[in-house]
Amino acid sequence: MKIEGRATRSIWMEADGWSVGIIDQTLLPHRVARLRLATLDDAVRAIATMQTRGAPLIGAVAAYGLALALRADASDRGLGRAYDALLAARPTAINLKWALDRVAAAVRDAVPAERAAAAYRRAGEICDEDVAINAAIGRHGLDLIERLVAGKRPGEPVNILTHCNAGWLATVDLGTATAPIYMAHDRGIAVHVWVDETRPRNQGASLTAFELGQHGVPHTVIPDNTGGHLMQHGMVDFVIVGTDRVTARGDVCNKIGTYLKALAAHDNGVPFYVALPSPTLDFTVSDGLAEIPIEQRAAAEVTGVSGRTADGRIETVTIVPGGTPVANFGFDVTPARLVSGLITERGIIAADARALADAFPDHASRAVATERAAE
Ligand code: MRU
């Protein structure tokens, strides 16, 4: 996607051929700062502090994190320690484990001297797969948008509401929830995006608004509690969000607040779609509410808000009385019954166990085999 008109991926190999570049997302939209990851610790820190974020991108960074670790220590012990450190960096998005397992499987049988090279190769493939998956999600989601255009007056936009950032900044490129939007826009279809600001870290206001703006897609940032009102007044044609983990029965874990949007959509007859790349599927869990670990983050994300001052400084101000207790759950679970459909790289499917197993039999059987091996 574009930054200042230049096509850019969210992760790349640096010119030295071994270190890895990312965009420091904690500074967006005020500064576009590129960050070089040269060690395992750099990769772990970037994921834990959310300099890099979004389920698929976390997976890609973790994959390269293993490669960086193996350059320094290619022993079985080194591999195990790096795997554990990266896995612990963020607990909810399953893509992290998915990517680590893929890289670990690619290097385990190699002699230590060849492990780092094998890890870099697999990490590169994971990045390319992500882009191909998102392009396929985009094509299937575009069909939905085209159907909605049929009910519009000439020039009237299709109004899409999204939550958090499931855009190209959350993936290697294109995004998941945003892929159909970019494709529609590029084909000259009038789309307009309602962007939830997404407290406490404001990924919608800071990141989704940034990338839609860079690509020229019309959008409006709204406070998180506005979506229900818009839906009651017929101002939202459909909702599309990303996800950090989808269970075998189709429960959807995504950024905190997603569930409330699904409830409002259900009450108002607004279709609620989830863009789901297959690495985000977790067939080892079924009941999302009971089985998915929900990350709890620092109180400071809730007690403070950061932004740019009039003279260009980035500052954080406190917005609650000193000593006030706060809760900061990073994600929530939307039950499958509230999901109109899952937009996957293999087409749009129902959020239920049968449809998921039929569409992804390869993933389902691999999960059963892994469970058996662990028993
Ligand atoms: O905490 P974040 O910013 O990593 O959360 C991101 C989201 O919830 C996204 O919607 C999700 O990762 C899907 S990204 C394609």
Side-chain angles (χ1 to χ4, degrees):
M1 301 306 297
K2 291 180 195 155
I3 292 189
E4 283 149 16
R6 266 190 45 211
T8 312
R9 278 189 173 188
S10 305
I11 182 166
W12 58 89
M13 291 301 299
E14 293 287 4
D16 58 21
W18 63 270
S19 63
V20 179
I22 58 169
I23 296 164
D24 183 348
Q25 299 197 23
T26 60
L27 300 177
L28 288 173
H30 311 299
R31 269 182 226 152
V32 180
R34 289 163 172 92
L35 198 68
R36 179 172 169 266
L37 309 179
T39 63
L40 167 66
D41 287 351
D42 288 349
V44 171
R45 191 180 322 108
I47 295 170
T49 63
M50 293 178 63
Q51 287 172 315
T52 192
R53 45 149 301 283
L57 187 56
I58 291 171
V61 173
Y64 276 116
L66 267 193
L68 292 170
L70 290 169
R71 286 186 86 236
D73 179 356
S75 67
D76 284 353
R77 194 160 159 269
L79 174 63
R81 279 186 39 221
Y83 180 104
D84 291 345
L86 288 159
L87 187 63
R90 289 200 72 192
T92 300
I94 196 65
N95 305 58
L96 180 54
K97 182 169 187 309
W98 178 90
L100 290 172
D101 286 343
R102 296 295 164 295
V103 177
V107 306
R108 202 164 280 130
D109 294 334
V111 294
E114 289 169 9
R115 281 183 165 175
Y120 276 109
R121 261 196 311 278
R122 192 67 185 98
E125 287 164 8
I126 285 171
C127 290
D128 292 343
E129 279 165 29
D130 179 69
V131 179
I133 286 172
N134 297 340
I137 287 174
R139 287 191 292 275
H140 295 301
L142 179 62
D143 291 344
L144 282 177
I145 296 178
E146 280 172 338
R147 264 181 258 151
L148 288 164
V149 172
K152 296 275 173 189
R153 289 190 297 275
E156 190 188 1
V158 174
N159 284 297
I160 302 162
L161 185 141
T162 194
H163 190 68
C164 195
N165 173 260
W168 72 263
L169 286 164
T171 66
V172 177
D173 205 348
L174 273 174
T176 58
T178 53
I181 297 170
Y182 288 127
M183 282 191 188
H185 175 80
D186 289 350
R187 280 173 195 219
I189 296 172
V191 286
H192 167 261
V193 185
W194 297 108
V195 179
D196 279 352
E197 62 179 349
T198 319
R199 275 285 285 154
R201 291 186 67 98
N202 293 321
Q203 291 96 323
S206 305
L207 306 178
T208 305
F210 171 78
E211 58 166 89
L212 291 174
Q214 292 289 323
H215 201 81
V217 178
H219 61 280
T220 305
V221 173
I222 48 173
D224 286 333
N225 36 21
T226 305
H229 170 81
L230 296 178
M231 292 184 211
Q232 286 175 318
H233 290 271
M235 296 164 80
V236 180
D237 293 306
F238 79 113
V239 179
I240 180 167
V241 296
T243 174
D244 291 79
R245 197 186 299 211
V246 169
T247 72
R249 72 179 192 192
D251 291 344
V252 171
C253 183
N254 191 47
K255 180 52 56 190
I256 193 82
T258 301
Y259 170 53
L260 292 177
K261 293 300 132 76
L263 282 176
H266 185 71
D267 194 45
N268 290 283
V270 173
F272 181 91
Y273 283 95
V274 176
L276 165 65
S278 58
T280 310
L281 259 173
D282 184 359
F283 276 110
T284 68
V285 292
S286 179
D287 179 346
L289 278 179
E291 296 177 83
I292 298 178
I294 300 294
E295 175 181 16
Q296 293 191 49
R297 297 188 57 85
E301 292 182 352
V302 179
T303 58
V305 174
S306 64
R308 191 178 54 195
T309 60
D311 60 358
R313 282 170 296 122
I314 296 175
E315 289 211 342
T316 301
V317 295
T318 301
I319 58 168
V320 302
T324 304
V326 298
N328 189 8
F329 296 92
F331 299 90
D332 61 25
V333 173
T334 298
R337 68 186 158 77
L338 297 176
V339 177
S340 308
L342 301 166
I343 309 174
T344 77
E345 70 264 29
R346 296 187 188 172
I348 299 177
I349 61 172
D352 68 48
R354 169 55 63 88
L356 279 164
D358 284 352
F360 294 97
D362 40 344
H363 292 61
S365 56
R366 196 182 303 126
V368 171
T370 313
E371 289 252 290
R372 289 212 181 112
E375 277 167 16

